[in-house]
Amino acid sequence: MQQNEDTIVAQATPRGRGGIGVVRVSGSHTTFIAKQILGKVPQPRQAEYLPFLDKNGELLDQGIALFFKAPNSFTGEDILELQGHGGPFIMDCLIEEVVKAGARLAEPGEFSLRAFLNNKIDLTQAEAIVDLINASSKEAAKSALRTLQGIFSKNIEEIQQELIKLRMYVEAAIDFPEEEIDFLSDGIVKGMLQSLIDQVEGVIAKAHQGSLMSDGIKVVIIGRPNAGKSSLLNALTGYEAAIVADIPGTTRDVLREHISLDGLLIQLVDTAGLRIKADLIEQEGIKRALKETTFADHIIIVVDGTTTHETDPKRLFPEWADKIPKETGITVLYNKVDCLNIPPFIEQKENYHVVAISAKTGAGLLEFRKHLKNSVGFSENSEGNFIARRRHLEALAQAKQHLLEGMFQLQHFKAGELLAEELRQAQLSLDQITGKFTSDDLLGKIFSEFCIGK
């Protein structure tokens, strides 16, 4: 990111032809640029219909001008918005004139970065802007809006305040032993610490739901040729995304489709049929299929119920089952119940589930969709949830681990100094979520994901 003192400009509406195009300017030279382009500085927060002029005073366009005086603006700086006609040529000409007047082109996410640096929003709210723009369902949009309104930040702030109180109590007892505060055995610290752990676990549960809405999950479909993998993909997407034929080995590459189940974004990956005797092209497809399972959140093993009654992954695929990561959820989909004249069912095994359906007729498909959501811990009740990201979950998990380690040090060794250090580390982990303590590298990575003009 370049210097915050610069005045920046960008088109805030998508590139392409449209009825309206918006150019946004932010920085210390905004009022000078307004005089150059508009011949005046509009009254703050009052829309005015004005001509847009070039440096020679010739008419470029005409439209609505809005001026926001610092610090009462999105970025906390003077902001000018020019709403003109949305043709690419007109927008480019207008931006060119703003640059000539003293601005530079904004980098991706630079407007939101300035809002963060000027304490207009915290880091979770900044990320929620992108999540709201990219929301693929009503539930995801509502959760992103809650985060943008500061619900997530409020939860973290409440925990931090309790954590600060506990740190003050512990460190005072360490620094002033003459006060004879026996915090190691009076039960107060243990109670406060357990309360903090419970609060963090509660936020983790909500953040997990928000992370599923934001990032979604990757579900990889594997199985023998002609087991019904492509039929399942088509049934879940609702259209003919993959070719279905009786010829084994129809799918030889990886097919990707996206669906939304009540707000849960799922990337479905259909892969080549797994078999030992395969030609060179199929072997490459099998290699890619196994690679996809390495990064999967959940794996669906499709089994042709008319050819086998086996459902144990290790017996179905003894040559490949051990390559599936142990932490990855597995569902064995027992397909073609319509040909077997048996009803759909769901059965829980020790390390996996068996779900019997007919991908062809759709029998049991509704129950399978519910199972898929439940298997990753997704709740249909999004009330009170907020959008979160994987980095938030990681930071919360680190904070919880430090609190648990602090409890261990307190109970087993009565080590006050070590407890104080674990509490300090827990607070640093929480600070990373809202941006109170964040490396420049992380900021650059986060805001580089934004579109230009946001």
Side-chain angles (χ1 to χ4, degrees):
M1 292 293 177
Q2 298 187 38
Q3 292 297 318
N4 196 33
E5 291 80 6
D6 295 344
T7 298
I8 55 175
V9 60
Q11 182 174 337
T13 45
R15 296 284 297 177
R17 289 178 171 80
I20 297 174
V22 178
V23 170
R24 175 183 282 176
V25 184
S26 179
S28 58
H29 290 87
T30 298
T31 54
F32 175 79
I33 291 171
K35 292 176 182 177
Q36 294 291 105
I37 302 295
L38 304 172
K40 60 178 292 189
V41 179
Q43 289 296 315
R45 298 177 177 273
Q46 292 185 15
E48 293 190 47
Y49 185 69
L50 296 169
F52 303 160
L53 308 173
D54 65 13
K55 65 177 182 179
N56 298 318
E58 296 183 5
L59 186 66
L60 283 174
D61 195 7
Q62 53 189 7
I64 300 296
L66 276 167
F67 177 66
F68 300 89
K69 183 69 177 174
N72 301 315
S73 69
F74 172 67
T75 62
E77 304 171 336
D78 287 347
I79 283 184
L80 177 67
E81 288 192 359
L82 303 174
Q83 303 176 11
H85 297 92
F89 179 74
I90 295 296
M91 289 286 99
D92 288 343
C93 287
L94 189 53
I95 291 173
E96 183 180 353
E97 289 302 319
V98 173
V99 170
K100 289 179 181 178
R104 66 165 172 82
L105 296 176
E107 297 180 6
E110 194 166 1
F111 288 92
S112 297
L113 174 63
R114 292 189 175 200
F116 166 72
L117 294 175
N118 292 325
N119 297 316
K120 303 299 289 187
I121 56 176
D122 63 30
L123 204 51
T124 60
Q125 291 172 300
E127 291 169 306
I129 295 171
V130 175
D131 295 324
L132 183 58
I133 293 171
N134 296 332
S136 59
S137 67
K138 182 179 179 181
E139 293 80 6
K142 288 170 64 178
S143 295
L145 190 56
R146 291 191 192 100
T147 303
L148 185 57
Q149 292 172 333
I151 302 299
F152 187 14
S153 305
K154 183 179 179 182
N155 278 259
I156 299 300
E157 182 66 25
E158 289 173 351
I159 294 175
Q160 287 176 317
Q161 290 301 319
E162 293 300 315
L163 184 52
I164 290 171
K165 289 180 183 178
L166 180 55
R167 287 189 65 192
M168 290 172 60
Y169 185 83
V170 171
E171 293 183 15
I174 294 172
D175 294 338
F176 304 101
E178 65 275 6
E179 298 295 330
E180 297 182 355
I181 302 175
D182 190 8
F183 71 94
L184 298 178
S185 58
D186 64 6
I188 296 177
V189 170
K190 182 180 178 181
M192 294 174 69
L193 189 52
Q194 186 58 55
S195 176
L196 276 171
I197 293 171
D198 294 340
Q199 289 181 62
V200 170
E201 288 178 342
V203 175
I204 287 175
K206 289 184 177 182
H208 176 68
Q209 295 295 313
S211 177
L212 290 174
M213 287 186 180
S214 173
D215 300 326
I217 62 171
K218 180 178 181 179
V219 176
V220 177
I221 305 171
I222 64 173
R224 300 286 185 188
N226 267 22
K229 301 185 300 299
S230 296
S231 295
L232 174 64
L233 179 70
N234 292 342
L236 290 173
T237 58
Y239 65 94
E240 299 295 317
I243 298 173
V244 177
D246 294 330
I247 303 172
T250 304
T251 302
R252 296 194 168 203
D253 202 348
V254 175
L255 299 179
R256 304 176 193 274
E257 294 292 333
H258 291 83
I259 63 172
S260 178
L261 296 182
D262 300 319
L264 173 60
L265 181 64
I266 299 178
Q267 181 191 46
L268 292 171
V269 182
D270 184 20
T271 62
L274 303 182
R275 58 177 172 178
I276 299 297
K277 295 181 180 179
D279 58 33
L280 290 176
I281 297 177
E282 274 191 275
Q283 288 178 15
E284 178 60 27
I286 293 170
K287 181 180 178 181
R288 294 185 182 187
L290 296 174
K291 184 178 179 181
E292 290 293 333
T293 62
T294 305
F295 304 102
D297 296 296
H298 199 84
I299 294 175
I300 301 173
I301 301 176
V302 182
V303 175
D304 185 347
T306 63
T307 62
T308 181
H309 296 298
E310 185 59 66
T311 59
D312 189 335
K314 292 185 177 180
R315 294 178 180 176
L316 287 167
F317 300 103
E319 62 275 26
W320 292 303
D322 290 337
K323 297 181 181 179
I324 297 175
K326 293 182 180 180
E327 65 275 9
T328 305
I330 297 176
T331 296
V332 177
L333 200 74
Y334 196 68
N335 193 24
K336 304 184 182 181
V337 295
D338 55 317
C339 299
L340 300 171
N341 293 318
I342 61 173
F345 65 85
I346 297 179
E347 184 178 353
Q348 183 174 352
K349 300 290 186 178
E350 185 177 354
N351 299 316
Y352 61 95
H353 283 80
V354 178
V355 181
I357 73 162
S358 170
K360 182 178 180 181
T361 66
L365 194 62
L366 180 60
E367 289 73 16
F368 171 67
R369 288 172 177 262
K370 292 180 180 179
H371 160 74
L372 199 55
K373 291 183 293 185
N374 293 335
S375 65
V376 295
F378 183 76
S379 173
E380 295 183 17
N381 180 20
S382 63
E383 195 64 35
N385 288 340
F386 40 74
I387 282 290
R389 298 191 171 196
R390 292 184 189 272
R391 78 169 192 89
H392 301 148
L393 288 175
E394 291 171 0
L396 285 166
Q398 290 172 5
K400 178 184 174 182
Q401 186 57 43
H402 286 302
L403 293 175
L404 290 173
E405 181 61 28
M407 180 70 81
F408 179 80
Q409 296 294 339
L410 175 65
Q411 291 182 314
H412 290 80
F413 303 108
K414 297 189 181 300
E417 290 80 2
L418 294 178
L419 169 60
E421 175 60 19
E422 294 298 338
L423 295 177
R424 188 183 73 85
Q425 292 294 334
Q427 186 171 351
L428 287 176
S429 296
L430 294 175
D431 285 345
Q432 291 180 27
I433 296 176
T434 56
K436 290 183 179 179
F437 174 77
T438 310
S439 69
D440 291 340
D441 289 341
L442 179 58
L443 286 180
K445 182 178 183 298
I446 290 172
F447 286 98
S448 67
E449 298 174 2
F450 285 49
C451 57
I452 303 249
K454 200 65 187 129

